[in-house]
Amino acid sequence: MKIKTSMLTIMNIFNLKTNSNKLYSTEYIKKQEEQFICNNYFGNSKNDYEYKSGNIPILISAPHTVKQWRNEKCKKADIYTGALAKTLHRSTGAHVIYKARTNGDENCTTRETEYRKKIKEIVKKKGIKLIIDLHGIASDKDSDIDIGTGNSSNINLLGQDYILSLIESSLGKNNYTVNKYFTGGKTYTISTYCASKLGVPTLQLEINKKYRSSNSKNFSYMANKLTAMINDLSNKVYTPEDK
């Protein structure tokens, strides 16, 4: 029995190491995105959102997985942010919440919507210490990832600037920018809501469209980079009370 247990432990360690460079198939990626593509990206669910419980103190939010209504106009979905969020849930153990059907715009409102109420509940019950709000930027932008911290003083990190330092260290020489395209600092964003109302440091991550498709190589590259980043963060994030 001891030998079997040891072998399983070794296998688990090996799998953890190899998962950081996993190649996701086109079939897998399309399957993860399937529910959002339905009805021309209006989604096919009766529910407003879906939540998957995790085992680390990080919550990933993906509010633009489907189209949104903003100022009486239909706004395009940030395609494959849903597939990416679900993949990161599996690869990191992060909690994940994402929109399942079109209903308003979660990132452009001051109302406490059902989606935001659920985030509030998750934060309280699960001891969330960091929130990552996942979005998408166009392929013509010169960043693979744009990190929004609220503004140049990182207001949405609530004084915990070490989080940005950890992310920059994890991403290394990868092509990322900070607050170049979207800061997430407007009063109506999820990032501002989570930071100012819930007291949780929050980042708005904008992923280049180049890496948001069913292209196996490109999707896998981004999924692996974000997996490594979240794994680096998961054991190091803390609340002021933890110090």
Side-chain angles (χ1 to χ4, degrees), residues 95-114:
H95 299 263
V96 172
I97 185 171
Y98 50 81
K99 290 288 282 191
R101 65 179 175 88
T102 299
N103 179 24
D105 185 348
E106 298 296 341
N107 208 43
C108 189
T109 182
T110 55
R111 295 187 303 109
E112 189 158 294
T113 62
E114 293 304 311

Side-chain angles (χ1 to χ4, degrees), residues 221-239:
Y221 170 84
M222 183 55 63
N224 288 329
K225 290 300 178 186
L226 293 179
T227 294
M229 183 193 82
I230 291 169
N231 286 339
D232 285 344
L233 286 167
S234 64
N235 292 321
K236 297 175 182 176
V237 292
Y238 56 79
T239 56

Side-chain angles (χ1 to χ4, degrees), residues 15 55 67 92 142 214 227-228:
N15 287 335
N55 54 29
K67 292 178 178 177
T92 69
D142 64 359
S214 59
T227 294

Side-chain angles (χ1 to χ4, degrees), residues 119-241:
I119 291 177
K120 187 177 183 178
E121 176 188 312
I122 298 166
V123 167
K124 184 177 181 180
K125 290 185 176 180
K126 303 295 183 177
I128 300 301
K129 298 179 181 180
L130 176 65
I131 296 173
I132 298 172
D133 199 38
L134 205 58
H135 293 266
I137 51 174
S139 57
D140 62 353
K141 305 302 183 185
D142 64 359
S143 303
D144 292 345
I145 305 172
D146 189 40
I147 306 166
T149 64
N151 57 21
S152 59
S153 61
N154 305 325
I155 190 171
N156 284 346
L157 293 185
L158 304 177
Q160 299 185 49
D161 289 6
Y162 79 94
I163 292 173
L164 181 58
S165 297
L166 286 173
I167 290 173
E168 291 177 325
S169 176
S170 179
L171 293 177
K173 295 181 179 179
N174 290 286
N175 184 27
Y176 70 88
T177 52
V178 179
N179 295 318
K180 183 171 183 178
Y181 296 109
F182 298 96
T183 67
K186 300 290 186 181
T187 57
Y188 48 72
T189 65
I190 287 177
S191 289
T192 296
Y193 169 77
C194 292
S196 65
K197 302 295 185 182
L198 305 184
V200 180
T202 306
L203 298 160
Q204 180 168 307
L205 285 193
E206 300 281 344
I207 309 302
N208 193 293
K209 191 177 180 181
K210 176 182 178 181
Y211 302 100
R212 293 184 291 108
S213 74
S214 59
N215 180 287
S216 178
K217 182 179 179 181
N218 288 353
F219 182 92
S220 297
Y221 170 84
M222 183 55 63
N224 288 329
K225 290 300 178 186
L226 293 179
T227 294
M229 183 193 82
I230 291 169
N231 286 339
D232 285 344
L233 286 167
S234 64
N235 292 321
K236 297 175 182 176
V237 292
Y238 56 79
T239 56
E241 290 79 9

